[in-house]
Amino acid sequence: MSGFTGFVLRRLLGALVTLLAISVIVYVVFYVTPGNVAQITCGPRCSPAQVQQVADQLHLNDPLYTQYGHFLQSLVAGQDYSTGTSVEHCSAPCLGLSYQSDQQVTQLILAKLPVSLSLVFGAMVLWLILGVGTGVLSAWRRGRLTERVLTGITLAGVATPVFVIGLVLMIVVCGQLQLLPFPQYVKLTDDPEQWAWNLLLPWLSLALIEAAAFARLTRASMLETLAEDHIRTFRAYGVGERSIIGRHALRGALAPVIALNANNFGGAVGGAVLTETLFGLPGIGQELVHAVKVVDLPVVVGMVLVVGFFVVLANAVADVLYAVADRRVVLA
């Protein structure tokens, strides 16, 4: 346990360092390289006095290291914002204040985040079941008709855009067959059954695309594992093929699948813009597109930091799962 605990602590420390590096990059890209940051942040309709107030709040007249220090302090300890007539406190982690909607960016994201997480978590379960299951079956039936059919389906899935699959599903399932209602987001706490029914089509649309990549990767990893010496030893001792596939080969092939799932999950939190737009889901993807259109800089920065956080978190969890799947990783 001491070795495993040390491994986890090292990965957590690495994740914190990575998050710090992301915050530096984001700050430089959005607050150092643009022109008049105060004008961009406040918006085109702001008066010179309002622009100056924003510049003071963002400490844009201070040295660069001091500016970043205040930015980092707001993330860790919060910050006070002057609204002209009163002072509003933004609790940590404070991602700033939207000068377009007069809302705290943290509250804005927290209102949208459950929608995106509902979409991504549900789709992740489906793409793992469909993708890994298809990959294992394809490797097991190598050289047979089953493998050729599954390979063709996965290639078609990789080549098909998510909005095409979503439109076809809505037309067929909701329109012609009327098996499901047209998706309309319902909170999980309000009605779990309606929450699942209304998200089923978005889950399928996103999962079918991702499942194709998982099927190809799982098949390749399984074929590589099945060719190893210890698998041939199991077969020589008369161990059943199903036991070899389920108990030994699959576990050895999980490492690249875990890595791909971490990257896909982290990216899908902020990258499922097409799916959210197609089905009218009010998630952070749609909010990010809106913030870019109206040049709401604090919201864009906050969204990028949140997406970066989920990417780092997903990869840190993947590293721990490596150690669970293969204890030799702990020694690295």
Side-chain angles (χ1 to χ4, degrees):
M1 285 301 295
S2 60
F4 182 77
T5 303
F7 172 81
V8 173
L9 292 177
R10 289 195 301 272
R11 291 300 181 266
L12 289 177
L13 180 60
L16 290 176
V17 173
T18 304
L19 287 173
L20 182 62
I22 289 174
S23 69
V24 172
I25 295 172
V26 169
Y27 188 82
V28 170
V29 169
F30 288 102
Y31 286 109
V32 177
T33 56
N36 191 338
V37 177
Q39 182 68 64
I40 296 173
T41 303
C42 188
R45 298 182 180 180
C46 288
S47 64
Q50 291 174 315
V51 172
Q52 183 59 43
Q53 182 182 5
V54 172
D56 294 337
Q57 290 177 346
L58 297 178
H59 305 277
L60 297 178
N61 297 321
D62 296 337
L64 183 58
Y65 65 88
T66 305
Q67 295 180 35
Y68 174 72
H70 286 290
F71 175 74
L72 193 62
Q73 181 182 359
S74 67
L75 293 177
V76 178
Q79 186 175 352
D80 291 330
Y81 285 94
S82 174
T83 60
T85 58
S86 61
V87 176
E88 180 179 351
H89 179 70
C90 178
S91 302
C94 180
L95 298 173
L97 186 69
S98 170
Y99 294 93
Q100 303 291 332
S101 61
D102 294 328
Q103 284 185 278
Q104 293 184 16
V105 176
T106 305
Q107 296 177 354
L108 190 63
I109 293 177
L110 288 177
K112 305 290 184 179
L113 192 58
V115 182
S116 296
L117 291 181
S118 296
L119 172 63
V120 175
F121 269 113
M124 183 185 69
V125 173
L126 289 180
W127 78 49
L128 285 175
I129 293 174
L130 295 174
V132 174
T134 301
V136 170
L137 183 59
S138 181
W140 188 16
R141 299 294 182 179
R142 183 182 182 185
R144 302 181 184 180
L145 178 62
T146 303
E147 184 205 12
R148 290 193 289 270
V149 171
L150 293 177
T151 300
I153 293 175
T154 54
L155 287 175
V158 171
T160 306
V162 64
F163 62 85
V164 173
I165 293 181
L167 283 174
V168 170
L169 286 175
M170 278 201 296
I171 292 173
V172 175
V173 177
C174 299
Q176 296 181 353
L177 300 179
Q178 297 183 353
L179 296 176
L180 291 173
F182 285 96
Q184 184 177 0
Y185 183 74
V186 177
K187 291 182 179 180
L188 175 63
T189 54
D190 292 344
D191 192 333
E193 182 178 355
Q194 288 301 315
W195 170 82
W197 276 111
N198 280 275
L199 283 175
L200 185 57
L201 281 187
W203 286 342
L204 284 173
S205 300
L206 188 58
L208 289 176
I209 299 296
E210 302 292 348
F214 278 90
R216 297 181 66 187
L217 181 62
T218 304
R219 176 185 176 276
S221 299
M222 285 289 296
L223 291 177
E224 182 179 350
T225 305
L226 288 172
E228 293 180 355
D229 293 338
H230 70 283
I231 298 297
R232 287 195 290 267
T233 303
F234 286 134
R235 286 171 175 159
Y237 278 97
V239 178
E241 192 67 19
R242 291 188 178 183
S243 178
I244 290 175
I245 294 289
R247 297 182 59 184
H248 305 288
L250 180 58
R251 184 171 183 175
L254 280 180
V257 175
I258 292 172
L260 179 62
N261 188 62
N263 291 328
N264 285 15
F265 175 82
V269 172
V273 178
L274 287 176
T275 308
E276 292 181 1
T277 303
L278 179 63
F279 293 100
L281 301 177
I284 64 173
Q286 270 199 347
E287 186 63 32
L288 179 58
V289 172
H290 174 72
V292 171
K293 286 182 179 179
V294 300
V295 199
D296 197 346
L297 188 59
V299 176
V300 175
V301 172
M303 293 285 186
V304 172
L305 287 174
V306 168
V307 172
F309 168 77
F310 277 104
V311 171
V312 173
L313 177 63
N315 281 275
V317 172
D319 286 341
V320 176
L321 291 178
Y322 288 159
V324 174
D326 187 354
R327 296 304 297 268
R328 292 173 298 179
V329 177
V330 180
L331 302 178

